[in-house]
Amino acid sequence: MRFKAPKGTYDVLPEKAEKWEFLEEAARSIFKIYGYRPIETPIFEATELFARGIGEATDIVQKEMYTFTDKGGRSITLRPEGTAPIVRAHEEHGMSQWPQPVKLYYAGSMFRYERPQAGRYRQFYQLGVEALGSNDPALDAEVIILLLEYCRSVGVKEMDLLISSMGCSECRSSYIEALKDFARERISKLCPDCARRFEVNPLRLFDCKNPACGEVLAGAPKMIDYLCDGCRVHFESVKGHLGKAGVGYKIDPTLVRGLDYYTRTTFEVQSGYLGAQNAIGGGGRYDGLAEELGGAPAPGIGFALGIERLAMAVEAESGKIPGEYELDVFVVAVDDSVRVDAFMLAQRLRGEGLVAEMDYLGRSIKGQLKLADKLGARFAAFVGPEELAAGLCRLKNMVTGEQEDVPLGGAPAYLADKVFEEPVK
RNA sequence: GUGGCCGUAGCUCAAUUGGUUAGAGCGUCGGACUGUGGCUCCGAAGGCUGAGGGUUCAAGUCCCUUCGGUCACCCCA
């Protein structure tokens, strides 16, 4: 075959898809408990939405977007993240008139043109929440706790919560000046990459892994020391809420996230089991985004988490993720004359809510039993001329090997009782 | 976009210093006396050795290019 899944993409085969379904269902369930409601936005949007929302200078906008021109001449981009589209929908549908705050969650694929690596793909699946219309620090804490609780509920035990504050437009700009003053005097001691960062986005200086740069920057001014009164009070309150909730966290002043829209609270949940891309999820507050997109002001906060990375962390720590294929009954057609009767029995079994399978390849009885065994069937139901003539159906317990004849008409209900009322195994 | 490693049947891997029809295990399908699984045994199907060039009498084995995978950087979920 000449075709393969495009670079950086992959097929989620049944075994993995079942695990993803489990994780996603668990997420939807806990998101709802926290009062969030589902929303689906288009998988592509006007390029300008992301360019303005995420920031022209960011890596995402500069080199990672899947952009194309549609037949109407519009510049379209496959969504690289979920927040900007939701803020767009919030404005478009007047959600500021809904009971505030508006709490939404989403699940879906995102696209970024990057070199694939462990835990990073060109199409990846995110789960996320957004709460718009309030700048209450309690909401910041709620969102952070929701992320942690969800991860914990599906089996992630060891994870680190990093938090910081990016300040608001006012205090951040004065901080950036201070940082640039500091860096300008030491520019000769920094690596070429950092020299470039200095020009493009000084906040990124802290991302450098170069030890020499790290030493130089250790003495640099920190954003959290430059917060204005409002931002400082907000940050203190977020920490206070987390503390009351018994949530452990680490303040990381260098936690600078790659999207320009963040203000005040930013956070990231990391796992030591993921390799270089160690963030399971992250997010922050974006109080200026709605205005940046040309809408009415609307503060907001949210997070996104990558299901691929979550699944990796869960499997590394807890071994298995639930979500197995289970077969209740395999209907065995004893010979060709009864294949239609077998088919009808399977239909009636399914009508009782039982997972029923049968043979579609004309296999021998032995072959059918082998298949039933491979599929893990709990029961086999024999349909044969002799049983049919007597109005019976022979049931075989595939675990114990016991067999019994029951009236054909009552077989589905009889089996349903056995399957649903008796403990598995 | 940059760099390291890698690319043989569906999967995991073999294939003497380049040498003749590329093998095995698992899996799939079938069979082992007539209506019954899990163990065992037998058989079959399934590879243009990622692709394209080159070197050579001869290439899965060497060289180049390209595509893909993988890991790291940049950055992020």
Side-chain angles (χ1 to χ4, degrees), chain A residues 69-99:
Chain A
T69 302
D70 73 8
K71 295 186 179 185
R74 291 169 281 257
S75 181
I76 297 294
T77 293
L78 263 36
R79 63 183 180 193
E81 60 103 40
T83 302
I86 286 179
V87 172
R88 190 222 83 225
H90 175 271
E91 170 72 14
E92 185 170 336
H93 298 98
M95 292 188 204
S96 60
Q97 302 307 303
W98 295 10

Side-chain angles (χ1 to χ4, degrees), chain A residues 3-70:
Chain A
F3 296 108
K4 294 178 178 173
K7 181 171 181 150
T9 68
Y10 53 93
D11 301 308
V12 186
L13 303 182
E15 191 178 351
K16 182 184 279 186
E18 283 163 352
K19 294 175 178 176
W20 280 27
E21 279 190 346
F22 169 80
L23 293 175
E24 186 171 332
E25 285 310 311
R28 289 177 185 275
S29 164
I30 194 168
F31 292 170
K32 284 174 186 166
I33 288 173
Y34 276 73
Y36 291 77
R37 299 174 67 192
I39 182 169
E40 306 267 348
T41 64
I43 222 159
F44 55 81
E45 297 270 0
T47 300
E48 188 64 12
L49 172 68
F50 299 117
R52 288 181 55 185
I54 299 170
E56 295 282 1
T58 60
D59 274 14
I60 291 178
V61 173
Q62 286 195 332
K63 58 178 194 182
E64 296 175 5
M65 297 205 300
Y66 272 95
T67 299
F68 62 96
T69 302
D70 73 8

Side-chain angles (χ1 to χ4, degrees), chain A residues 286-297:
Chain A
Y286 44 88
D287 293 341
L289 179 55
E291 269 182 288
E292 184 62 39
L293 295 177

Side-chain angles (χ1 to χ4, degrees), chain A residues 339-388:
Chain A
R339 299 196 80 86
V340 174
D341 302 281
F343 176 78
M344 290 309 295
L345 177 58
Q347 284 306 311
R348 288 171 51 219
L349 289 163
R350 290 161 181 160
E352 288 292 326
L354 293 164
V355 182
E357 258 301 4
M358 57 179 283
D359 167 60
Y360 303 100
L361 296 188
R363 273 179 265 246
S364 64
I365 293 169
K366 190 181 296 245
Q368 295 182 55
L369 264 301
K370 274 189 179 178
L371 179 60
D373 189 55
K374 278 176 207 152
L375 296 178
R378 296 169 62 187
F379 291 92
F382 289 81
V383 175
E386 293 170 22
E387 290 85 349
L388 232 39

